[in-house]
Short mmCIF file of all heavy atoms in Angstrom, two decimals:
data_model
loop_
_atom_site.label_atom_id
_atom_site.label_comp_id
_atom_site.label_asym_id
_atom_site.label_seq_id
_atom_site.Cartn_x
_atom_site.Cartn_y
_atom_site.Cartn_z
N GLY A 225 -20.32 33.55 -7.73
CA GLY A 225 -19.38 34.57 -7.29
C GLY A 225 -20.07 35.64 -6.48
O GLY A 225 -21.16 35.45 -5.92
N ARG A 288 -5.89 59.89 -8.79
CA ARG A 288 -5.76 59.32 -10.12
C ARG A 288 -6.80 58.23 -10.39
O ARG A 288 -6.82 57.63 -11.44
CB ARG A 288 -4.35 58.75 -10.31
CG ARG A 288 -3.25 59.81 -10.18
CD ARG A 288 -1.89 59.20 -10.43
NE ARG A 288 -1.75 58.77 -11.82
CZ ARG A 288 -0.87 57.87 -12.24
NH1 ARG A 288 -0.08 57.28 -11.36
NH2 ARG A 288 -0.79 57.54 -13.50
N SER A 297 -10.25 49.39 -9.16
CA SER A 297 -9.90 49.45 -10.58
C SER A 297 -11.19 49.46 -11.40
O SER A 297 -12.17 48.81 -11.05
CB SER A 297 -9.04 48.24 -10.97
OG SER A 297 -7.84 48.22 -10.24
N GLU A 337 -14.51 37.42 -31.22
CA GLU A 337 -14.38 35.98 -31.41
C GLU A 337 -13.00 35.46 -31.01
O GLU A 337 -12.83 34.26 -30.79
CB GLU A 337 -14.67 35.61 -32.87
CG GLU A 337 -13.65 36.10 -33.86
CD GLU A 337 -13.99 35.68 -35.29
OE1 GLU A 337 -15.07 35.11 -35.49
OE2 GLU A 337 -13.17 35.96 -36.21
N PHE A 347 -12.61 33.10 -20.34
CA PHE A 347 -12.90 34.20 -21.26
C PHE A 347 -12.30 35.52 -20.76
O PHE A 347 -12.90 36.59 -20.90
CB PHE A 347 -14.42 34.36 -21.46
CG PHE A 347 -14.99 33.42 -22.49
CD1 PHE A 347 -14.66 32.07 -22.49
CD2 PHE A 347 -15.86 33.88 -23.46
CE1 PHE A 347 -15.17 31.20 -23.43
CE2 PHE A 347 -16.40 33.01 -24.41
CZ PHE A 347 -16.06 31.67 -24.39
N GLY A 370 -0.40 22.66 -24.26
CA GLY A 370 -1.72 22.46 -23.70
C GLY A 370 -1.90 23.43 -22.56
O GLY A 370 -1.26 24.49 -22.50
N ALA A 374 -4.97 20.28 -17.56
CA ALA A 374 -5.05 18.88 -17.98
C ALA A 374 -4.14 17.97 -17.15
O ALA A 374 -4.26 16.75 -17.24
CB ALA A 374 -4.68 18.77 -19.46
N LEU A 403 3.83 23.91 13.50
CA LEU A 403 3.91 25.15 12.75
C LEU A 403 3.26 24.98 11.37
O LEU A 403 3.56 24.02 10.66
CB LEU A 403 5.37 25.58 12.58
CG LEU A 403 5.62 26.93 11.88
CD1 LEU A 403 5.07 28.08 12.72
CD2 LEU A 403 7.10 27.12 11.60
N GLY A 407 1.66 31.66 3.39
CA GLY A 407 2.12 32.24 2.13
C GLY A 407 3.45 32.94 2.28
O GLY A 407 4.28 32.94 1.37
N SER A 409 5.88 32.03 3.87
CA SER A 409 6.98 31.06 3.90
C SER A 409 7.35 30.57 2.50
O SER A 409 8.41 29.95 2.32
CB SER A 409 6.60 29.85 4.76
OG SER A 409 6.43 30.21 6.10
N ARG A 447 3.83 15.11 -0.52
CA ARG A 447 4.59 16.29 -0.97
C ARG A 447 3.68 17.15 -1.83
O ARG A 447 2.79 16.65 -2.54
CB ARG A 447 5.81 15.87 -1.78
CG ARG A 447 6.88 15.18 -0.96
CD ARG A 447 8.17 15.07 -1.77
NE ARG A 447 7.96 14.45 -3.06
CZ ARG A 447 8.86 14.40 -4.04
NH1 ARG A 447 10.04 14.97 -3.87
NH2 ARG A 447 8.59 13.80 -5.18
N GLY A 495 9.31 23.88 -12.04
CA GLY A 495 9.98 24.56 -13.14
C GLY A 495 9.01 25.31 -14.04
O GLY A 495 9.31 26.41 -14.50
N ASN A 499 9.02 29.65 -14.14
CA ASN A 499 9.76 30.16 -15.31
C ASN A 499 9.15 31.46 -15.81
O ASN A 499 7.99 31.79 -15.52
CB ASN A 499 9.85 29.09 -16.40
CG ASN A 499 8.62 29.02 -17.26
OD1 ASN A 499 8.43 29.83 -18.17
ND2 ASN A 499 7.74 28.06 -16.99
N THR A 500 9.91 32.19 -16.57
CA THR A 500 9.51 33.53 -17.02
C THR A 500 8.30 33.49 -17.94
O THR A 500 7.42 34.37 -17.87
CB THR A 500 10.69 34.21 -17.73
OG1 THR A 500 11.78 34.34 -16.82
CG2 THR A 500 10.31 35.59 -18.25
N TYR A 505 2.80 35.16 -19.04
CA TYR A 505 1.47 34.80 -19.51
C TYR A 505 0.43 35.10 -18.44
O TYR A 505 -0.66 35.60 -18.74
CB TYR A 505 1.44 33.31 -19.89
CG TYR A 505 0.26 32.92 -20.74
CD1 TYR A 505 0.33 33.00 -22.13
CD2 TYR A 505 -0.92 32.47 -20.17
CE1 TYR A 505 -0.75 32.62 -22.92
CE2 TYR A 505 -2.00 32.09 -20.95
CZ TYR A 505 -1.91 32.17 -22.33
OH TYR A 505 -2.99 31.82 -23.11
N THR A 533 13.30 7.93 -27.85
CA THR A 533 14.06 7.16 -28.83
C THR A 533 15.46 6.92 -28.26
O THR A 533 15.90 7.61 -27.33
CB THR A 533 14.18 7.93 -30.15
OG1 THR A 533 14.99 9.10 -29.93
CG2 THR A 533 12.81 8.35 -30.67
N LEU A 539 20.98 11.79 -25.60
CA LEU A 539 21.05 13.24 -25.38
C LEU A 539 20.66 13.59 -23.95
O LEU A 539 21.27 14.46 -23.32
CB LEU A 539 20.13 13.96 -26.36
CG LEU A 539 20.63 14.08 -27.80
CD1 LEU A 539 19.55 14.68 -28.69
CD2 LEU A 539 21.89 14.95 -27.85
N ALA A 555 24.03 21.86 -21.65
CA ALA A 555 22.80 21.07 -21.69
C ALA A 555 21.80 21.69 -22.66
O ALA A 555 21.12 20.98 -23.42
CB ALA A 555 22.18 20.99 -20.29
N GLN A 582 18.87 21.11 -8.90
CA GLN A 582 20.10 21.87 -8.65
C GLN A 582 19.77 23.22 -8.00
O GLN A 582 20.46 23.65 -7.06
CB GLN A 582 20.87 22.09 -9.95
CG GLN A 582 21.51 20.85 -10.53
CD GLN A 582 22.71 20.38 -9.74
OE1 GLN A 582 23.31 21.14 -8.97
NE2 GLN A 582 23.07 19.12 -9.89
N THR A 596 14.49 40.87 2.00
CA THR A 596 14.92 41.63 0.82
C THR A 596 15.72 40.77 -0.15
O THR A 596 15.84 41.12 -1.33
CB THR A 596 15.75 42.85 1.23
OG1 THR A 596 16.84 42.41 2.07
CG2 THR A 596 14.90 43.86 2.00
N SER A 599 13.81 37.94 -3.30
CA SER A 599 13.27 38.25 -4.62
C SER A 599 14.18 37.82 -5.75
O SER A 599 13.84 37.98 -6.93
CB SER A 599 12.98 39.75 -4.75
OG SER A 599 14.18 40.50 -4.59
N ALA A 600 15.33 37.27 -5.42
CA ALA A 600 16.26 36.79 -6.46
C ALA A 600 16.87 35.47 -6.02
O ALA A 600 17.08 35.22 -4.82
CB ALA A 600 17.37 37.82 -6.69
N PRO A 603 23.10 33.54 -6.95
CA PRO A 603 23.82 33.61 -8.23
C PRO A 603 24.22 32.24 -8.77
O PRO A 603 24.25 32.04 -9.99
CB PRO A 603 25.04 34.47 -7.89
CG PRO A 603 24.59 35.34 -6.77
CD PRO A 603 23.65 34.50 -5.95
N GLY A 618 11.79 27.79 -25.95
CA GLY A 618 11.98 26.99 -27.14
C GLY A 618 10.78 26.11 -27.43
O GLY A 618 10.34 25.98 -28.59
N ALA A 620 7.80 26.75 -26.64
CA ALA A 620 6.71 27.64 -27.07
C ALA A 620 6.89 28.11 -28.50
O ALA A 620 5.98 28.75 -29.06
CB ALA A 620 6.63 28.85 -26.13
#
Side-chain angles (χ1 to χ4, degrees):
R288 299 182 66 201
S297 299
E337 68 179 6
F347 277 47
L403 184 65
S409 295
R447 291 192 307 169
N499 82 80
T500 299
Y505 197 89
T533 67
L539 284 174
Q582 290 288 340
T596 54
S599 61

